[in-house]
Amino acid sequence: MVKRSGWVVAALLVLVLSAGCAAPATAPQAQQPPDITGGVAPGSPGASPASEAAGDTAAISTPASGDPLTAGLSSRTTRGHIWAEPVIDGDTVLILHSVATLGSHVNLEVPANGGVAGFIGYFTNDEFCLRATACPNCGAGRIEWGGSLVVCRSCSTTFDLVTGEASGEGRGYPLGTIPYSLEGDTIAMYLGDLVEAYARTASGEETLFEVPEVVEDEDRGDRSWPRCCVVA
């Protein structure tokens, strides 16, 4: 009886071993490809604020429009030469007061008759003054800032900042000033005034703007009608 039981146990062991060999092996889990959508890992030295933005959508960083160091400032600006980037709204030319006062003077250009009209602006006696970069003496467009005056690099004539008077026998700037208004941090000018002032400066006119003709009133304010029938 014991012998028979031994054979039964041996047979069961053979069956168990055979089933284990026949069973399919479990396939190892496939290795996932590395994530290439995340860019630089957050917190790493090369990580940018955009790469650390939450969610799957990448954030696009843009310069802050309110940055006082760049707003209204032209890319033409160099050391000692501030250039304003005018905003033209219809017939109005706008520049920022904060840009105009970054240095001793500010340069700007506006469209004029298919070209451009250049100006040098500065504050004197708390008033904003604009001088065309066209020389009133020789007509060359080479007026530059000279510290306590403006100077033509073509004919070497210098001009007083306040009066516009020329040195020597040269012809000075036309009489008059270019109107402007100051509201908050904005200096506003009329485009037509700038274009006319530039043209009249370049041509050597005596005034920036045409003076309206004065019509004498022989009636001395008498508007009664008809005058011929007035009874003495």
Side-chain angles (χ1 to χ4, degrees), residues 64-118:
S65 58
D67 186 352
L69 297 179
T70 58
L73 193 64
S74 171
S75 59
R76 298 174 64 179
T77 297
T78 59
R79 183 182 298 274
H81 296 279
I82 303 298
W83 280 84
E85 190 67 52
V87 174
I88 300 178
D89 183 10
D91 293 331
T92 303
V93 178
L94 305 171
I95 65 172
L96 293 183
H97 180 275
S98 56
V99 171
T101 54
L102 279 176
S104 57
H105 68 288
V106 63
N107 300 276
L108 65 140
E109 287 182 341
V110 296
N113 303 322
V116 294

Side-chain angles (χ1 to χ4, degrees), residues 154-224:
S154 181
C155 66
S156 300
T157 304
T158 60
F159 304 89
D160 185 270
L161 293 180
V162 179
T163 65
E165 183 179 356
S167 60
E169 300 296 327
R171 183 170 51 241
Y173 271 89
L175 296 177
T177 58
I178 299 175
Y180 73 94
S181 61
L182 180 58
E183 299 180 2
D185 193 35
T186 302
I187 300 175
M189 297 153 286
Y190 180 57
L191 180 60
D193 287 344
L194 295 175
V195 173
E196 182 179 355
Y198 185 91
R200 292 179 67 83
T201 299
S203 60
E205 299 289 341
E206 293 184 356
T207 59
L208 281 180
F209 306 104
E210 293 185 4
V211 179
E213 182 180 355
V214 178
V215 179
E216 294 186 4
D217 188 355
E218 297 179 355
D219 298 323
R220 298 182 180 179
D222 183 6
R223 295 295 182 265
S224 60

